[in-house]
Amino acid sequence: MQDEQLTFDLIVIGAGMAGLSAAARAAEAGLRVVVIEAAAEVGGSAAMSGGILWTLESTAKMAYHGGGDPAFSALVAQGYRDGVAWLRGRDVHMSNVVNPLNGRGYQADLLGHFAQAVVTVEGAGGIVVRDTRVERLLTDAEGRVVGAHTVHADGEMDIFAPWTLLSTGGFQGSAELREAYLGPNGRSVLLRSNPTSDGAGLRLGTAAGGDAPKGNLGFYGHLVSGSPAWGDPRLFTRLSQYHSDYTVLLNEAGHRFCDESEGDHANTHQTLQQPGGRALMVSDDAIHQAHGVTAVVEVAPPEDRMQVALEHGGEGIVADTLDEIASFAGAHGFDRGQCLATLSDYNRCAREDWENLSPPRVHQPHKPLARAPYYGLIVYPAITFTFAGLRCDDRMRVLRADGAPVGGLLAAGADVGDVYRGGYGGGLAAALTTGLRAAGTVMGG
Ligand SMILES: Cc1cc2nc3c(=O)[nH]c(=O)nc-3n(C[C@H](O)[C@H](O)[C@H](O)COP(=O)(O)OP(=O)(O)OC[C@H]3O[C@@H](n4cnc5c(N)ncnc54)[C@H](O)[C@@H]3O)c2cc1C
């Protein structure tokens, strides 16, 4: 197979939510698309997800809660409607409306979407290849990307197209890139994603001249309880402590370090930056009953998250007093005295001095931890996808450091930098909207 040459209209590298959506959209328009997938199956993290295709309902809300580049806030918030309509037009089943996090959406049949996307690509004369990696992009004398060098167990092949789309799902699978972009604790953060997304898009894009600036420390992820069985994708959602925004988080020194009410995804970034990269999550029975045993979204089963955590080897305690919680913390490497002092001060502020709580709690009522039993659980940041990535314009063209596009090169999904920063407005929505936008660029838009 070596040196065999094949020519297409579009090369898509990565067959997850962004790549397969872009490929199907381009194939619907009659383009011949080759989709290269490194894993044995298509679908990426999207196939492991709960399929909640949600976003924030307006550009303003996206700008406030997502915090990314305003052009992408607008693209995702406005493109969502067209993206959902396009999926419905392809008979992808959607649930009734669900209300995750700060936004709104549907549970979408993503496996059905991916199966149909493959049929659409192949029906238009394209191909979807699995177990294949792209080793390098091919460029012409002007630096325009004109193809890719692919490697499969059976051999190597150069393929050619006027457009190449990078949609490899981010760099969370690379300890080296996590450390470079997220800081020293990034190296050891738990992976809550498909293992294949290890920065191929970022490496291929920068090698072709694209810019991938550092400085965006954000990522989508959750605080999870530790477990010897971590790595089994079936535990990714079950061990996630989605309700940490209602709890109190303490670092190893015994101090609060963030406004927990910003949301579990934001608490996850903040915890990663703490010494030791972990936190003690404390709640009382009122918080636990209201938020720790409820379904995270309407279509998910309710579970007692503390019980599930303890059953899977999490380090936690259900205690009669906050003093016992502090002793548990002390036995696990936290500062016992400071933990107790911080919790006492937290309760004092909640009762009589809210304006002096530091950091403040902005988004929910600040209530004292007052009803036994009390819950203490050691939580760790786990990363689902990275927010730093390739610098792109709003047509998803990869840009050089001087702002000029790298000819022929596009990116979508988690390979795009700065769609989000401190906040989050939906990973599947970002992948769908940027993927469809990239297809639009290929189609002349
Ligand atoms: C457990 C879990 C639950 C989630 N729940 C939700 C949810 O309910 N709602 C939501 O909005 N988001 C959710 N997400 C996040 C969502 O899945 C991602 O944001 C989304 O899939 C990103 O799309 P993508 O196309 O960028 O990456 P992916 O969908 O991960 O696709 C990337 C693809 O690229 C492939 N690839 C990587 N490297 C190469 C290479 N070198 N060559 C070829 N192929 C390569 C990968 O194997 C993968 O198939 C969840 C994720 C997980 C893991």
Side-chain angles (χ1 to χ4, degrees), residues 142-279:
E142 278 78 50
R144 184 181 176 91
V145 174
V146 294
H149 181 74
T150 66
V151 181
H152 180 270
D154 292 342
E156 305 188 12
M157 184 185 288
D158 285 343
I159 52 176
F160 294 88
W163 290 102
T164 296
L165 172 64
L166 299 170
S167 49
T168 68
F171 59 80
Q172 61 277 4
S174 162
E176 178 194 42
L177 286 172
R178 290 197 310 261
E179 184 174 20
Y181 278 82
L182 305 178
N185 289 346
R187 181 165 276 278
S188 55
V189 64
L190 297 172
L191 190 60
R192 185 185 180 276
S193 133
N194 84 77
T196 321
S197 292
D198 59 2
L202 191 136
R203 288 194 180 94
L204 293 168
T206 51
D211 190 25
K214 296 201 172 91
N216 186 342
L217 299 178
F219 57 89
Y220 171 61
H222 287 286
L223 289 173
V224 302
S225 54
S227 169
W230 184 261
D232 178 349
R234 290 170 300 183
L235 294 179
F236 286 171
T237 50
R238 294 190 71 208
L239 298 187
S240 295
Q241 304 301 310
Y242 296 100
H243 63 297
S244 76
D245 44 346
Y246 294 93
T247 70
V248 179
L249 293 170
L250 304 178
N251 62 16
E252 286 183 353
H255 296 289
R256 288 180 64 239
F257 52 89
C258 64
D259 173 353
E260 298 89 343
S261 73
E262 288 283 348
D264 184 56
H265 47 286
N267 297 338
T268 307
H269 312 161
Q270 299 278 356
T271 302
L272 185 71
Q273 300 305 329
Q274 298 308 303
R278 62 179 185 153

Side-chain angles (χ1 to χ4, degrees), residues 13-19 36-39 41-54 132-134 167-170 172 192-194 196-198 200 204 220 233 236-237 384-385 412-415 424 426-429 431:
I13 305 174
M17 186 64 182
I36 310 290
E37 169 56 50
E41 300 293 340
V42 301
S45 289
M48 298 175 168
S49 79
I52 308 299
L53 178 60
W54 70 279
T132 302
R133 281 191 170 266
V134 171
S167 49
T168 68
Q172 61 277 4
R192 185 185 180 276
S193 133
N194 84 77
T196 321
S197 292
D198 59 2
L204 293 168
Y220 171 61
F236 286 171
T237 50
T384 295
F385 72 88
D415 284 351
Y424 180 57
L428 293 169

Side-chain angles (χ1 to χ4, degrees), residues 16 22 40 43 57 80 97 100 115 169 201 205 219 234 244 266 268 283 304 315 345 349 386 392 400 424:
E57 301 90 325
Y80 180 83
V97 172
F219 57 89
R234 290 170 300 183
S244 76
T268 307
S283 59
D304 182 329
E315 305 138 287
D345 192 55
C349 287
T386 40
C392 293
R400 299 177 188 276
Y424 180 57

